[in-house]
């Protein structure tokens, strides 16, 4: 009987040591995982904040520009679409987009690839001819029922 109690005591001691070591390893692994998740969360928050700041100059987030269009009985979303369509339609010119003040080089005209409407008056656009590229700052004027009028303010050719 004493041997059974001794064996049971030794067995329970070994079992408790095993449980302690195993639990410690599990807790350490979970702590490392939690630290990793916290680091990723902080990085994600910084990225979201940077993205919000990057979109600061956009018609979609500029309430004053939106109010300008509403006061003229225009929907800023429809205006934004119309302005982009009118801007890209100018690429159909055989000498390239007339808003880009550079003549075709090696027979390749400069065309506007993408643009961003900054507010109710300004657009920034990227253009290229396949080899060279640049950016152009445009002023635009919208009137209901008329084609959008554009004016080149400044360009940069890289």
């Amino acid at each position: 009987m004493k041997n059974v109690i001794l064996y049971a005591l030794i067995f329970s001691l070994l079992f408790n040591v095993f449980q302690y070591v195993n639990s410690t390893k599990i807790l350490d692994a979970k702590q490392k995982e939690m630290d990793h998740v916290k680091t990723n969360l902080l990085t994600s928050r910084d990225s979201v904040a940077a993205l919000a700041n990057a979109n600061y100059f956009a018609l979609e987030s500029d309430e004053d520009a939106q109010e300008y269009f509403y006061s003229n009985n225009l929907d800023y979303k429809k205006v934004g679409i119309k302005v982009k369509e009118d801007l890209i339609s100018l690429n159909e010119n055989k000498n390239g987009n007339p808003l880009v003040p550079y003549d075709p080089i090696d027979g390749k005209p400069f065309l506007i690839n993408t643009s961003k409407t900054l507010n109710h008056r300004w657009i920034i656009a990227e253009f290229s001819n396949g080899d060279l590229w640049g950016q152009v700052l445009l002023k635009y004027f919208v009137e209901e029922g008329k084609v959008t009028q554009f004016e080149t303010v400044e360009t940069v050719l890289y």
Side-chain angles (χ1 to χ4, degrees), residues 16-32:
N16 285 335
V17 169
F18 172 76
Q19 285 292 355
Y20 174 75
V21 171
N22 192 32
S23 298
T24 303
K25 286 182 181 180
I26 290 173
L27 288 174
D28 289 343
K30 290 295 181 186
Q31 184 64 40
K32 285 181 183 178

Side-chain angles (χ1 to χ4, degrees), residues 22 29 33 39 45 52 56 62 67 77 98 105 113 119 131 155:
N22 192 32
E33 183 180 338
T39 303
R45 283 183 184 167
Y56 180 77
D62 188 343
E67 184 59 37
K77 291 179 183 177
I105 297 176
N113 301 321
N119 57 25
D131 295 327
T155 61

Side-chain angles (χ1 to χ4, degrees), residues 23 44 46 50 59 74 78 102 133 149:
S23 298
S44 299
D46 292 343
L59 180 60
L74 297 170
K78 290 179 182 176
Y102 302 107
W133 60 278
Q149 296 178 349

Side-chain angles (χ1 to χ4, degrees), residues 104-115:
I105 297 176
D106 296 332
K108 298 178 182 176
F110 286 96
L111 303 175
I112 290 181
N113 301 321
T114 185
S115 65

Side-chain angles (χ1 to χ4, degrees), residues 124-135:
I124 189 164
E126 189 264 337
F127 63 88
S128 73
N129 72 347
D131 295 327
L132 301 172
W133 60 278
Q135 296 171 340

Side-chain angles (χ1 to χ4, degrees), residues 140-155:
Y140 74 98
F141 305 94
V142 177
E143 291 184 37
E144 192 171 1
K146 294 185 179 179
V147 176
T148 307
Q149 296 178 349
F150 297 100
E151 180 183 319
T152 302
V153 176
E154 189 69 45
T155 61

